[in-house]
Amino acid sequence: VFYTSIGIVHKSRGDLEEAMKWFQQSLDIVQQLQQNGASHSLVLANIFNEIGSTNRAKGNLDDALQWFHRSLAIFKEQSPKSLSVAALSNNIEKVHLAKGELDKAMHWMELALAIQEQEAPASLALAKMYNNVGEVYQSKGDLDQAMMWFERAAVIEKRQDSGMRNGIGLVD
C-alpha cells in the first residue's frame, strides 16, 4: 500500500515511468499476499486503477482500458452501485473520449452518471461528470447539448463555492 502512495506522488510529479515501477512493486506484494490466502481485492483494484491512470497519462490507451476494466470488475463484485464503480466508469469514458470513440464514451458516462446522481447528488464529482458529458457533446459538434451540460455543472459548482465561502466564515 505504501508503494502505491509513492507511485501516486511520482505520477503527480509527472515521472510516469518511476510511478509504474512503484505500482508494479505494490502489485507484486499484494498478489503474493493473496497467494498466501489473504484477501486484498480492494487494494488490488486501487492498484489496477492507478496503473490504468498512469497508462492513460502515458498515452497507452488500450493498456489503460485493460487495467480500468480489471479494477472495475473487482469493485462491481464488491458493490455494483458504489461511487468507485462510477469513478471507474468515468475513467473508462475518458479513455474512449481520447480515442475518439464518442458513442462508447457516452455509454460509460451514462453508467457513471446513473450511480453518481443516485449516490451523491449535487457533489463536485457529479459536476465534473456533467462537464465530461458536455465535452463529449462538444466533440460530437452538438453545441446546444454541450452548453446544457456545462451549465448544469456550473450550477453545482456555484452551490459548492457559496457553501464553502459560508463555511469559511465559521472557522475562527
Side-chain angles (χ1 to χ4, degrees):
V1 176
F2 298 115
Y3 288 172
T4 303
S5 298
I6 294 169
I8 291 169
V9 171
H10 282 289
K11 185 175 73 170
S12 297
R13 290 180 173 169
D15 190 352
L16 303 179
E17 293 303 322
E18 191 65 24
M20 288 296 281
K21 288 178 190 174
W22 287 99
F23 294 144
Q24 187 60 54
Q25 286 182 45
S26 185
L27 179 58
D28 292 344
I29 290 169
V30 172
Q31 287 177 329
Q32 175 113 28
L33 290 171
Q34 286 194 294
Q35 287 176 354
N36 295 332
S39 177
H40 296 287
S41 59
L42 292 179
V43 173
L44 196 60
N46 283 318
I47 295 168
F48 290 166
N49 181 55
E50 290 300 336
I51 293 172
S53 175
T54 304
N55 272 297
R56 184 180 69 214
K58 291 172 66 175
N60 301 334
L61 301 180
D62 291 330
D63 289 341
L65 278 176
Q66 289 177 1
W67 288 104
F68 286 145
H69 279 289
R70 289 177 74 182
S71 181
L72 180 64
I74 294 170
F75 278 115
K76 274 187 168 182
E77 185 178 296
Q78 298 290 322
S79 179
K81 299 290 183 183
S82 72
L83 292 175
S84 295
V85 170
L88 276 157
S89 297
N90 188 50
N91 288 346
I92 292 169
E93 172 269 332
K94 289 178 186 177
V95 173
H96 286 297
L97 183 60
K99 292 177 77 172
E101 300 170 344
L102 303 181
D103 291 334
K104 287 182 181 180
M106 188 58 75
H107 166 77
W108 285 99
M109 182 49 53
E110 288 170 355
L111 293 174
L113 279 173
I115 296 169
Q116 192 73 36
E117 287 176 333
Q118 181 179 353
E119 299 298 320
S123 67
L124 281 178
L126 182 61
K128 289 178 185 178
M129 287 184 182
Y130 284 168
N131 188 71
N132 290 349
V133 174
E135 288 175 357
V136 173
Y137 278 113
Q138 186 176 18
S139 295
K140 286 180 153 190
D142 190 340
L143 300 182
D144 291 336
Q145 280 292 319
M147 184 62 75
M148 181 192 78
W149 287 99
F150 290 147
E151 288 172 351
R152 289 174 94 179
V155 167
I156 293 173
E157 185 177 47
K158 184 176 180 180
R159 271 191 238 138
Q160 292 288 332
D161 284 347
S162 67
M164 285 179 15
R165 278 194 296 275
N166 291 338
I168 291 171
L170 299 175
V171 178
D172 193 86

